[in-house]
Amino acid sequence: YRIRDKQSFFTLGVAYQNALLASEQTYPLAQNVKYSFNSLLPNAMFNYRFENKANLRLFYRTNTNAPSVNQLQGVINNSNPTQLSTGNPDLKQDYGHSLSLRYGATNAKTAQSFNAFLNLAYSNNAIVQSTFIADKDYVLAPGITLFRGSQLTKPINLDGMMNIRTFISYGLPVSKLKSNLNFNAGVSYAKNPNLINDVKSFTNNYGINGGMVVSSNMSEKLDFTLS
């Protein structure tokens, strides 16, 4: 569905998605695995053009990430006796939301430009690894023992995974150098859920970046870029 006028337009849509995973397992037990995931994926976009030719655009999207067949199979991998792993037949697919904001402005008279970007992503039922550290010996299956101090990992679904990214840039000409000068900077943040011995926690990661670029075409035979 779309609405439009001279300076702006708005769109709204929805998609239906079906994901089918199937496999045939022969060891250690004969078993056929078949999963079907159904999803409705809405999306929206708003765009506005200002009188000074600056542009603002807002996106909203949804997406899914289905578990792999290996993640769904409940087969214990004991090739490393201190770090065992297994799949999880009860896994659901990851359902993600993404919101993006972009703003751009250019002054044709001065050749200056400014751009800003913001992205926010959040996941429901994110597929992450859980870890169980044995405080004693556990018999997991005939012939397979999780010894004290060893780890068993398996994929699970957890809410709360989030990512935020920002980026801004400003450019202007430098006539004396016959060059363009550009400054940029950004901040990022990631929040990831974890589960260790049935205790949920979060890992937080922060990042800051910045830069400067000078680029020039001084003549037909000479150009340079300094960053």
Side-chain angles (χ1 to χ4, degrees):
Y1 180 71
R2 181 168 179 166
I3 301 174
R4 180 165 187 161
D5 60 24
K6 292 182 179 181
Q7 289 184 287
S8 65
F9 66 85
F10 172 75
T11 62
L12 180 67
V14 63
Y16 167 75
Q17 177 181 278
N18 173 262
L20 179 65
L21 298 177
S23 75
E24 180 180 347
Q25 177 179 311
T26 59
Y27 179 84
L29 299 174
Q31 181 183 7
N32 291 327
V33 178
K34 187 174 183 179
Y35 292 86
S36 180
F37 300 99
N38 299 286
S39 303
L40 289 177
L41 302 173
N43 64 83
M45 181 180 69
F46 173 74
N47 188 89
Y48 186 83
R49 183 173 292 276
F50 297 89
E51 293 182 358
N52 63 354
K53 305 302 181 181
N55 191 75
L56 176 68
R57 181 166 291 188
L58 180 67
F59 293 93
Y60 170 71
R61 298 186 180 95
T62 53
N63 67 283
T64 61
N65 179 28
S68 67
V69 171
N70 288 339
Q71 290 176 320
L72 290 168
Q73 288 181 329
V75 179
I76 299 175
N77 181 348
N78 65 337
S79 58
N80 185 341
T82 62
Q83 294 182 343
L84 282 68
S85 62
T86 183
N88 183 0
D90 297 324
L91 273 181
K92 301 176 182 179
Q93 65 178 358
D94 178 341
Y95 191 97
H97 304 265
S98 176
L99 183 66
S100 299
L101 178 67
R102 294 183 180 182
Y103 175 81
T106 301
N107 189 321
K109 293 182 180 180
T110 62
Q112 296 181 358
S113 64
F114 175 79
N115 293 278
F117 172 79
L118 169 67
N119 179 260
L120 171 63
Y122 180 85
S123 293
N124 294 324
N125 292 325
I127 300 174
V128 300
Q129 290 289 340
S130 70
T131 302
F132 175 73
I133 304 173
D135 58 352
K136 60 180 181 180
D137 294 351
Y138 291 89
V139 177
L140 303 179
I144 300 179
T145 300
L146 181 67
F147 295 101
R148 180 182 178 183
S150 299
Q151 299 181 8
L152 174 67
T153 61
K154 74 173 183 178
I156 61 170
N157 294 111
L158 287 179
D159 292 337
M161 179 177 286
M162 181 172 62
N163 289 277
I164 300 174
R165 293 187 298 117
T166 63
F167 180 82
I168 60 173
S169 68
Y170 173 70
L172 73 160
V174 182
S175 57
K176 292 182 179 181
L177 297 177
K178 297 181 181 180
S179 305
N180 293 313
L181 178 62
N182 182 275
F183 300 94
N184 60 78
V187 177
S188 64
Y189 168 70
K191 180 181 180 182
N192 298 300
N194 306 284
L195 192 69
I196 300 178
N197 285 16
D198 295 327
V199 178
K200 185 178 180 180
S201 61
F202 291 92
T203 300
N204 299 291
N205 295 301
Y206 303 87
I208 299 175
N209 62 79
M212 180 181 70
V213 179
V214 180
S215 58
S216 176
N217 290 318
M218 301 185 68
S219 69
E220 294 181 356
K221 298 182 179 181
L222 177 64
D223 65 79
F224 72 90
T225 301
L226 175 66
S227 61

